[in-house]
């Protein structure tokens, strides 16, 4: 049986299993087996399947690296072209970008590398398309921009998150507060410093046994899940901040735009009109937690002025709407 078939079988069994205390041990065991199979899928025993591959291995430069991830034809290439002045092929058909296209911007004196990655498809984590290579590059980024079509954001958001999660990328999360230390003897020493809703000593032992770990110290310092424990044991997860960039906002109403502004980690833009690029760059700066040096501060005003484009109909429309709402409240 192939790895994908084994993965599908385990996922089917998990979907059929009711979630309660009686099944917690069994589900924990299935999750551990699933994680091991996914690791094997990402890095086959032959050794050659996990690398970025030709056309994807771009040298890391500058103070930080930002990757554009999304489905085909959502505007990643247009965004890169307008942000960095780098030509990335744009056309009215899907999969126009077939390799990683790098660009560089300078903001507040910092040099930030941008990577336009080829569009991924559902099943990318399992090897469909060039998904493994795309996500392997995304793992090297300091920040991920998930570019979404504003007309179908929730569907694409869920699918992309599922693909990245399957490749060991955790978005906008902190590493689990779990202490894990292997030892030569003494069995499993389980300690929880706070109440646990999912994990207990038996579930922990079941998960560790799947990894052939029979001697270890485990300390749970927060309410943790089986997935958290598996992530710690696997040890190959990356925790990357993420901004959801909703493109093509000129196709929605002002009321819908106001709702988008309230969604965490989200920036609405119109890549074609360069609208809201200054807000996007400020968010990128904040998420990367870069610190301006004196020379960066000196260049920040010039850089900021260069970002502005001629006023568009969209800008006028939104500005008028906000002015009207403010006036009515006062």
């Amino acid at each position: 049986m192939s790895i994908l078939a084994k993965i599908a079988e385990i996922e089917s069994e998990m979907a059929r299993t009711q979630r309660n205390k009686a099944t917690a041990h069994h589900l924990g065991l299935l999750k551990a087996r699933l994680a091991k199979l996914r690791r094997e899928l990402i890095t086959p025993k032959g050794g050659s399947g996990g690398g970025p591959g030709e056309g994807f291995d771009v040298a890391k430069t500058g103070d930080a690296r930002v990757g554009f991830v999304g489905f085909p034809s959502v505007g990643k290439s247009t965004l890169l072209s307008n942000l960095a002045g780098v030509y990335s092929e744009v056309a009215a058909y899907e999969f126009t970008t077939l390799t990683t296209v790098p660009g560089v911007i300078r903001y507040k004196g910092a040099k930030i590398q941008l990577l336009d990655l080829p569009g991924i498809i559902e099943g990318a984590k399992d090897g469909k398309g060039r998904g493994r290579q795309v996500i392997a590059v995304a793992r090297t980024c300091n920040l991920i921009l998930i570019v979404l079509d504003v007309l179908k954001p929730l569907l694409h958001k869920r699918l992309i998150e599922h693909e990245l999660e399957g490749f060991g990328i955790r978005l906008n999360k902190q590493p689990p507060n779990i202490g894990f230390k292997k030892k030569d003897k003494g069995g499993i020493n389980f300690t929880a410093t706070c109440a646990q809703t999912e994990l207990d000593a038996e579930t922990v032992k079941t998960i560790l046994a799947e990894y052939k770990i029979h001697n270890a110290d485990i300390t749970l310092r927060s309410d943790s899940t089986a997935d958290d424990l598996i992530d710690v044991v696997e040890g190959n997860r990356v925790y990357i901040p993420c901004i959801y960039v909703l493109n093509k906002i000129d196709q929605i109403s002002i009321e819908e735009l106001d709702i988008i502004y309230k969604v965490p980690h989200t920036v609405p833009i119109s890549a074609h009109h360069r609208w809201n690029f200054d807000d996007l760059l400020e968010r990128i700066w904040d998420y990367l937690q870069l610190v301006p040096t004196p020379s960066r501060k000196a260049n920040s005003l010039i850089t900021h002025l260069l970002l502005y484009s001629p006023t568009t109909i969209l800008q006028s429309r939104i500005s008028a709407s906000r002015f009207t709402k403010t006036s009515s409240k006062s």
Side-chain angles (χ1 to χ4, degrees):
M1 185 183 294
S2 68
I3 296 178
L4 287 178
K6 291 178 181 178
I7 288 175
E9 185 177 314
I10 292 175
E11 288 179 336
S12 177
E13 184 175 352
M14 290 175 62
R16 295 193 306 266
T17 304
Q18 293 185 353
R19 297 177 181 272
N20 52 53
K21 289 185 178 180
T23 61
H25 299 162
H26 181 60
L27 284 173
L29 178 63
L30 292 177
K31 288 179 178 180
R33 289 177 180 172
L34 187 62
K36 288 172 62 180
L37 288 171
R38 290 206 180 282
R39 177 175 16 105
E40 190 175 340
L41 188 68
I42 295 168
T43 54
K45 293 179 180 178
S48 61
E54 184 179 355
F56 286 82
D57 192 11
V58 177
K60 200 168 185 177
T61 62
D63 299 299
R65 168 181 277 195
V66 179
F68 297 177
V69 177
F71 283 95
S73 301
V74 293
K76 300 188 300 297
S77 298
T78 303
L79 180 60
L80 178 71
S81 298
N82 281 323
L83 272 175
V86 174
Y87 176 73
S88 184
E89 187 174 353
V90 179
Y93 53 87
E94 295 185 345
F95 300 106
T96 50
T97 302
L98 300 177
T99 61
T100 300
V101 180
V104 174
I105 59 172
R106 293 185 180 274
Y107 189 65
K108 296 185 178 180
K111 185 178 179 182
I112 302 173
Q113 183 184 46
L114 306 179
L115 299 181
D116 176 18
L117 299 173
I120 64 174
I121 59 176
E122 188 174 0
K125 67 181 185 306
D126 299 326
K128 291 186 179 179
R130 303 192 73 179
R132 290 189 202 170
Q133 292 94 329
V134 172
I135 303 177
V137 176
R139 282 176 61 95
T140 70
C141 294
N142 304 102
L143 172 68
I144 290 176
L145 297 190
I146 294 183
V147 185
L148 302 168
D149 187 328
V150 75
L151 297 180
K152 40 191 172 183
L154 293 179
L155 173 62
H156 284 186
K157 177 178 180 290
R158 284 194 294 266
L159 290 174
I160 291 173
E161 286 175 342
H162 182 64
E163 299 301 325
L164 297 181
E165 285 273 335
F167 218 83
I169 297 176
R170 303 294 180 255
L171 301 173
N172 294 328
K173 294 180 181 178
Q174 295 295 323
N177 195 0
I178 297 176
F180 171 60
K181 184 180 179 181
K182 291 183 183 180
K183 55 187 182 180
D184 297 328
K185 56 184 179 179
I188 303 298
N189 183 21
F190 172 78
T191 305
T193 61
C194 60
Q196 300 293 314
T197 57
E198 181 172 331
L199 290 179
D200 55 26
E202 290 304 315
T203 304
V204 169
K205 288 179 181 179
T206 300
I207 293 172
L208 295 180
E210 179 62 25
Y211 287 93
K212 296 180 172 57
I213 299 173
H214 304 288
N215 301 284
D217 292 330
I218 298 291
T219 304
L220 306 182
R221 304 186 186 93
S222 62
D223 189 7
S224 305
T225 65
D227 292 316
D228 293 334
L229 178 60
I230 291 169
D231 283 353
V232 171
V233 174
E234 285 283 336
N236 61 354
R237 307 314 194 215
V238 292
Y239 298 83
I240 305 176
C242 169
I243 299 174
Y244 300 93
V245 181
L246 290 176
N247 190 22
K248 307 177 185 179
I249 54 103
D250 49 330
Q251 300 180 24
I252 62 175
S253 66
I254 293 296
E255 290 73 22
E256 291 172 312
L257 182 61
D258 287 339
I259 294 174
I260 290 174
Y261 264 110
K262 299 174 183 177
V263 180
H265 311 295
T266 300
V267 178
I269 67 163
S270 176
H272 181 71
H273 294 289
R274 293 179 58 89
W275 181 81
N276 219 20
F277 278 23
D278 53 337
D279 186 22
L280 175 59
L281 285 169
E282 276 296 320
R283 289 285 195 99
I284 291 174
W285 176 269
D286 291 340
Y287 275 62
L288 290 173
Q289 297 182 343
L290 298 175
V291 179
T293 63
S295 61
R296 289 178 182 174
K297 291 179 181 178
N299 292 331
S300 63
L301 178 60
I302 298 175
T303 309
H304 188 71
L305 291 174
L306 290 175
L307 294 174
Y308 281 98
S309 59
T311 303
T312 63
I313 297 175
L314 177 63
Q315 285 174 304
S316 301
R317 176 185 171 205
I318 292 173
S319 298
S321 169
R322 288 184 175 172
F323 177 78
T324 302
K325 290 181 180 179
T326 305
S327 301
S328 61
K329 289 180 181 179
S330 58

